Amino acid sequence: MKILLVGPSECGKTVLANFLSDTTETVGGEYSPTQGVRILEFECQSLGGSGKSVGCEVELWDCAGDAKFESCWPALMKDANGVIIMFNPDMPSHLKELEMWYSSFGSSQGMQDSQCLLIEHHKPGSGAENGRPALASQLSKLTLVHSNLEEDPEALRQEFRQYLGSVAKTLSESREREEMSIIT
């Protein structure tokens, strides 16, 4: 399963990607912007609709948030199964950029809402509020997850597993429809 992790620069994508892939245990550290993309491959237990865990192989593409890499986006999007759009609510510019990230990586790629996930990432020491931010109408249909790796990292891991299960279900249904159209 190929999942893109996108969003503005400095919202915490790399920290989150490292955490979800068990690449590192540390949450803090010096900021170093991603150059282009980092691809993390790992196995994960996704949660299916019945609550059962199903093993799946994940490619998590940690995409740079800098606009200078925009020319690479079509290559990154090729064969993507889902997109996680991340933002830091403490940075007002991030909320303004969300629609652009969604239209570039979600809606224009024909992704269903179940294949898109919004993560409101609170950096360590920020005043985390769990209210829903004012989002554009097309974004308000997406699942919104609050992320705070200091306070409740396992809740985020659980949400990620549910998201993977949702993406797997969408892909399975799509494959079944395609097979049925070939048969009929």
Side-chain angles (χ1 to χ4, degrees), residues 43-47 53-56 157 160-162 164:
E43 288 188 17
C44 185
Q45 296 296 315
S46 67
L47 290 179
S53 286
V54 179
C56 63
R157 195 180 305 272
F160 180 67
R161 290 176 62 206
Q162 285 179 338
L164 290 178

Side-chain angles (χ1 to χ4, degrees), residues 8-177:
S9 295
E10 294 189 64
C11 66
K13 295 181 297 290
T14 297
V15 170
L16 187 74
N18 288 342
F19 171 75
L20 293 174
S21 65
D22 288 324
T23 303
T24 182
E25 289 295 315
T26 58
V27 174
E30 195 73 23
Y31 175 70
S32 175
T34 299
Q35 299 300 308
V37 67
R38 293 171 57 239
I39 303 170
L40 299 125
E41 296 182 36
F42 57 98
E43 288 188 17
C44 185
Q45 296 296 315
S46 67
L47 290 179
S50 60
K52 291 182 182 174
S53 286
V54 179
C56 63
E57 291 185 18
V58 177
E59 281 183 12
L60 187 59
W61 290 49
D62 173 14
C63 304
D66 194 320
K68 72 181 180 186
F69 296 107
E70 194 170 341
S71 63
C72 301
W73 291 358
L76 301 178
M77 292 181 238
K78 185 174 175 13
D79 300 326
N81 304 118
V83 63
I84 299 172
I85 304 165
M86 228 174 121
F87 67 101
N88 178 345
D90 298 326
M91 300 183 84
S93 64
H94 285 194
L95 275 172
K96 293 181 184 123
E97 289 182 47
L98 283 180
E99 284 183 76
M100 182 276 300
W101 288 103
Y102 175 68
S103 67
S104 296
F105 286 89
S107 60
S108 71
Q109 300 306 305
M111 296 226 184
Q112 296 179 22
D113 291 346
S114 61
Q115 292 172 277
C116 301
L117 179 68
L118 270 179
I119 296 184
E120 179 179 2
H121 183 69
H122 299 276
K123 290 192 173 183
S126 73
E129 297 175 25
N130 281 339
R132 190 167 178 97
L135 299 172
S137 61
Q138 71 266 32
L139 293 171
S140 62
K141 297 181 288 186
L142 304 179
T143 300
L144 175 68
V145 173
H146 297 279
S147 160
N148 188 325
L149 295 178
E150 277 187 328
E151 291 180 12
D152 198 354
E154 287 313 308
L156 180 63
R157 195 180 305 272
Q158 191 76 355
E159 291 279 0
F160 180 67
R161 290 176 62 206
Q162 285 179 338
Y163 167 70
L164 290 178
S166 175
V167 170
K169 180 178 182 225
T170 301
L171 294 174
S172 174
E173 290 169 352
S174 175
R175 201 172 299 119
E176 285 175 21
R177 279 192 303 276

